Structures are given as C-alpha cells and as structure tokens.
Amino acid sequence: MSEAGEFVDYTLQMESTWEKAAEASERLGAALKVYGASVGAVRGTVRDALKRYKNLDHDDITALSSELWAQPVFERRLAAVVLLQTKVGVLVSTDLTRIEGFIRQAGTKELVNPLATDVVRPLLARLEGRAKDRADRVLERWAEDPDPELRRAAALATGAATP
C-alpha cells in the first residue's frame, strides 16, 4: 500500500468508535465491513492526506482511489469517493471505466449516489468535443445495463433522477 493509502487507512481506523461501527453495520448490512468512523472524520482524513501529500497528480489520485476501494470497507470506499469529489477537476473521460467498476462493487447507495452526482456529473459537465462524445456513449451504455445501480448512477449523473 502507498504511504498515502496507509495514512488514510490508519487514520480512519483511529477515528472509529464501536458505536458508529454498530450503527453503520446495521444500516449497511453485511455487504461491507465498517470501521466506525464518521463522515466528517472521513472527509477530514482525505483533506489531511491531500495536505500531507501535496504533489499527487491525476495518476496518483486515481491509483489512491483504487487502492482505498480495493478493500470492502465502507469508510475506505467513502474516502475514495471523497478523494474523487475533491479532485474531480483532474479526472478525464477515461476515468469513467474505473468509476463504473466502483459503482458495480459499491454495495450501497451511500456510495453510488455521491459517485454519480458529485463525481460523474461534474466530470461530464466540463468535458468537450470527442471526450464528451465518448463519455455520453458510456453513460448511454450504463443506462441500458442490467445492473440496477449502474442504471441509477447514469440517471443521477445526467439529471434524470434525484438521489
């Protein structure tokens, strides 16, 4: 694991409480493990990581998001979402492939909704030309996919549905 990934994972574990873990486990079911860190702690951890590791470029951001997502732990995956939300300006149309994988593996609307509305939607809004055309085709494919969460994400990202 990268130094930044270790920092995020360790900090999230240190920010956890058993009370929050129990509540989150009940809410999320068995699909994901939980540490028990609050949403605020996750956001603060990502903010601190970006201050500590200032020189992360596009490839570093996307690699870190994948690294955090790799373990089925809610807070790690939420940190990946927050990272992508924060750095959506560096994302490109080809990152939709990675995001599609995240949506398929999310296991909860609590991860799908912000990926669609706070990552995919602003990414689509700033794309132009061929990149926009490619991204539109990807979202059209998502809208027809058998996976209901991917269809939901397409609808949310294009404004066809509300969270």
Side-chain angles (χ1 to χ4, degrees), residues 15-152:
E15 290 287 339
S16 300
T17 67
W18 67 267
E19 295 95 342
K20 288 196 184 310
E23 183 272 325
S25 290
E26 184 175 316
R27 187 180 74 249
L28 297 170
L32 297 169
K33 297 175 189 169
V34 293
Y35 288 159
S38 69
V39 171
V42 173
R43 291 188 179 286
T45 297
V46 171
R47 182 190 61 237
D48 292 347
L50 290 172
K51 284 181 185 176
R52 181 179 280 218
Y53 306 99
K54 295 176 182 163
N55 297 320
L56 299 178
D57 62 13
H58 169 269
D59 292 347
D60 298 323
I61 294 296
T62 56
L64 179 56
S65 70
S66 290
E67 188 177 328
L68 292 170
W69 196 274
Q71 297 296 318
V73 177
F74 176 73
E75 290 86 353
R76 285 177 56 118
R77 290 184 171 185
L78 183 58
V81 172
V82 171
L83 177 65
L84 294 175
Q85 288 171 327
T86 305
K87 292 298 193 172
V88 71
V90 304
L91 300 179
V92 295
S93 64
T94 56
D95 293 322
L96 289 171
T97 302
R98 180 183 319 267
I99 295 167
E100 178 178 343
F102 290 176
I103 291 168
R104 288 184 186 279
Q105 298 170 353
T108 177
K109 288 176 177 62
E110 291 183 42
L111 296 171
V112 172
N113 289 359
L115 276 170
T117 59
D118 301 334
V119 179
V120 177
R121 186 184 293 169
L123 172 60
L124 292 174
R126 67 178 179 71
L127 293 175
E128 297 176 351
R130 292 178 73 182
K132 174 76 168 148
D133 292 342
R134 279 188 229 122
D136 287 343
R137 283 194 302 274
V138 168
L139 270 287
E140 288 169 12
R141 181 178 52 76
W142 288 10
E144 302 296 323
D145 196 272
D147 183 333
E149 289 304 322
L150 200 57
R151 289 194 312 270
R152 177 180 173 72

